[in-house]
Amino acid sequence: MLLTLAVPAAASAGLVRMHMHDVPLGGGRSLESAGRAQPFDMLGLHWIGTGSVEYRTRSPSGRWRSWHTASADDRSGGWRDGDLDWTGASIGTAFRTRGDVRRLRSYELESRVLAEPVRATASAGTPPIVTRAAWHANEEIVRARPRIAARLRLAIIHHTANTNDYTRAQSAAIVRGIEAYHVLANGWNDVGYNFLVDRFGTVYEGRGGGVDRNVVGAHAQGFNVGTVGVALIGNFSHASPTTAARDALVKLLAWRLDVAHLDPRSRVLYTSSGNYKFRAGRTVTLRAISGHRDTGPTECPGARAYALIPAITQRVAATGLPKLYSPEVIGLVGGPLRFRAQLSSPLQWTVTITDRTGTVVGSGAGSGPLVDWTWQPMGRLTGGPYTWAIAAPGVRPASGTFDAQAEPGPPPPALSLTGLTSSPAVLAPASDGSGGTAAVTFTLGAPAHVTARLQSAGAAPVATLLDAARPQGPAAFSWSAAAIPDGRYRLVVTATAEGGTARKAVDVVVDRTLTDLLVSAAVISPNGDGVSDSSTLTFVLSQPVPVEVDVLQAGTVVATVFAEPLGAGPQSVAWSGTVGGAPLPDGRYTLAVTVTDALGQVRQTLPVSVDDTPPVLTLVDPQSLTFTLSEPATVTLLVNGQTTFAVGEPAGTFSVPFPGPVTSVVARAQDVAGNLSPPVSG
């Protein structure tokens, strides 16, 4: 498949063109190359799998350049969105893969180089910044209005992981290409970064919404809300940023953190909304100026740039002094209100409260490095809003508002959409209607109107699965693929509220080649005792296809049970729970059945456990028939030498009711895998 996208917009018509095509991999993962009549100068790769991809490009003169390894952060085995690399003028590509790479998609962009853009004149302490209009951002492809976080909590430094060898004019072309790639290839709302800095010290405005506002970007999965992402244009794994780039980064961060009244030397507790390194809900301690690798599974911003962060932090803290940090208002309206802040040095400070007419209704003053003043209103407050301000000579003042009827506290929860799953990922609708329904779950950070749409691989709309309001918190719905043709699709869930838009997507597959997948025993004990020693997979094939059955643990293949072509019709594959004749250790595993058909490799999975450990049954009190059990099991009892009965019990302490006195008891426990405990008696 080859798809050409000419990025539209009156202001940037023809400045960026993008070609997308799926690269045929072949069974042997051999070298794949393709010539292109359309030239390009930037290359981005997406692939499925935990393996790696290498590429090289061919110059217009026909010379092949050296091989490069594509970089991407997500290591989960799903679609990996690689970084966009500046290749220079190119007319061809070649690829090779290592390890598990099941699909590969290439995005080749041509971004026209124009004259060097003009930086906006600095004002009110703002460093010179090339605006979106100046670098010819394509506003027509932006997918949603910007989201604004309640406050800025930290800055995250990135590198774009492309070349360090580019001209001043090419910098803006790279930024335009990044915008097109982030929106049209990655499916993001806009540029992922809030700012970009080139090797000449030029700062570019990234995601739209205002350079001094807390615009939520897409630069650090799980850590986007309340952070500012600044990307150094280049690759700094083995090279250091230029002096000009470092100086510009320091000035930018000194200004932006000062606007937020954030101490660059502070530490921040941040709760992740979920990524491959930090699950949702995990609280992480971060520096106020952190590297991307501190928040996720990546080497970004490169070892050389990352090593500079402590020195950059000290320079940021020393730039533009004096400063005011961490202003806060504590208390309830109508009662005492405590105003607090920190100053970078001892100063004379003031706190002022005014009503909506501008009349001062309260004020306080003091001196020193700590602002701490409590206001007790005289009489009952009415109306509003009231405005407070904390000021000191030479610092950027802090201010806020509150109403008489409300507590000055945190704003309503920010809109977020996290934890999106669609299970199972492969739907196999059978003729009886089974196997074709998926359960979708996600969590909303605020009440929102939610739409869920199914898109084809080429982003064409297929079906609307949900269009309804949902409250804050966990949400779920189900959908059926009974009327959906076989194919690879993308499920896109969008939440919209007054505060903005949040969007997540997952890949799903509809494939009727393999249906009715069942396992005879979900728990086995391969110990040769004749009870639950093995399990049998049964399924139905609609056509002859190669079939592979693997045993996985934590996503890694530990054994291949079966691998050969099978014909159409009912099939079965037995598994003994062993590898090379030796039983697998106790644990939870996954049986993965992979067929190769017109959609490529399609995998369905079922959970299975190996349990070769007998339960432990302990007789605590014979008279009351009280026992303890190490795991859920069926307990068989012989009471008074003649009464035999069985009870199913969970793990823990339990008692078995029995009429009359107990003179003797013998008991055994058998778990679901058939393992028997030694008998206990009393």
Side-chain angles (χ1 to χ4, degrees), residues 72-73 75 159 236-237 292-293 296-304 306:
D73 299 337
R75 301 171 187 172
H159 70 169
F236 303 107
S237 296
H292 187 192
R293 65 173 63 181
T298 176
E299 296 303 314
C300 180
R304 293 291 187 88
Y306 186 78

Side-chain angles (χ1 to χ4, degrees), residues 294-646:
D294 295 322
T295 68
T298 176
E299 296 303 314
C300 180
R304 293 291 187 88
Y306 186 78
L308 293 173
I309 290 179
I312 288 173
T313 299
Q314 294 304 317
R315 289 185 60 191
V316 170
T319 300
L321 297 175
K323 295 180 181 179
L324 185 153
Y325 302 131
S326 306
E328 60 178 345
V329 183
I330 305 169
L332 295 172
V333 175
L337 292 178
R338 187 179 183 184
F339 296 83
R340 300 188 66 190
Q342 293 178 328
L343 295 165
S344 59
S345 59
L347 293 170
Q348 298 288 329
W349 51 261
T350 60
V351 181
T352 306
I353 302 103
T354 58
D355 64 17
R356 61 183 176 181
T357 67
T359 302
V360 175
V361 296
S363 63
S367 62
L370 179 66
V371 177
D372 195 346
W373 176 72
T374 300
W375 177 51
Q376 177 65 64
M378 300 298 293
R380 182 175 180 271
L381 294 177
T382 59
Y386 291 84
T387 299
W388 60 267
I390 302 175
V395 306
R396 185 186 301 271
S399 63
T401 61
F402 60 87
D403 291 319
Q405 295 80 15
E407 176 186 357
L415 176 62
S416 62
L417 194 161
T418 57
L420 176 64
T421 63
S422 182
S423 181
V426 176
L427 298 174
S431 57
D432 63 358
S434 63
T437 301
V440 179
T441 60
F442 55 92
T443 300
L444 292 173
H449 189 92
V450 179
T451 59
R453 294 185 172 89
L454 198 65
Q455 298 179 351
S456 68
V462 175
T464 297
L465 309 178
L466 178 69
D467 189 357
R470 287 290 186 268
Q472 178 183 359
F477 69 93
S478 61
W479 65 282
S480 172
I484 305 297
D486 285 9
R488 294 186 180 271
Y489 300 93
R490 195 156 178 80
L491 174 62
V492 182
V493 178
T494 304
T496 304
E498 187 173 354
T501 299
R503 180 180 289 110
K504 295 291 183 183
V506 293
D507 291 316
V508 296
V509 177
V510 179
D511 191 333
R512 293 170 174 83
T513 297
L514 185 153
T515 59
D516 301 308
L517 179 63
L518 297 171
V519 63
S520 63
V523 182
I524 62 174
S525 56
N527 53 17
D529 64 358
V531 181
S532 299
D533 286 333
S534 64
S535 186
T536 300
L537 283 169
T538 59
F539 49 91
V540 177
L541 297 177
S542 64
Q543 58 181 316
V545 287
V547 177
E548 182 173 315
V549 180
D550 297 309
V551 183
L552 288 75
Q553 188 174 49
T556 300
V557 175
V558 297
T560 297
V561 177
F562 180 89
E564 62 183 80
L566 289 176
Q571 305 290 345
S572 64
V573 175
W575 177 50
S576 64
T578 62
V579 177
L584 283 174
D586 286 8
R588 295 181 179 179
Y589 297 85
T590 299
L591 284 176
V593 184
T594 304
V595 299
T596 304
D597 58 14
L599 296 180
Q601 292 184 329
V602 178
R603 171 180 286 179
Q604 295 189 45
T605 61
L606 288 173
V608 65
S609 294
V610 173
D611 181 5
D612 197 20
T613 303
V616 177
L617 180 66
T618 304
L619 178 59
V620 178
D621 180 15
Q623 296 302 314
S624 62
L625 295 182
T626 300
F627 302 83
T628 60
L629 193 58
S630 63
E631 61 175 303
T634 298
V635 180
T636 303
L637 299 97
L638 178 65
V639 182
N640 298 341
Q642 56 183 359
T643 304
T644 303
F645 54 98

Side-chain angles (χ1 to χ4, degrees), residues 164-190:
N164 298 321
D165 184 17
Y166 52 86
T167 66
R168 290 179 182 271
Q170 287 172 337
S171 297
I174 291 173
V175 175
R176 285 192 295 273
I178 289 174
E179 179 198 27
Y181 183 66
H182 282 186
V183 176
L184 300 178
N186 292 356
W188 301 346
N189 289 343
D190 195 351

Side-chain angles (χ1 to χ4, degrees), residues 258-274:
D258 188 29
V259 170
H261 299 291
L262 179 62
D263 185 347
R265 297 163 300 185
S266 63
R267 298 274 176 167
V268 177
L269 288 176
Y270 194 109
T271 301
S272 169
S273 61

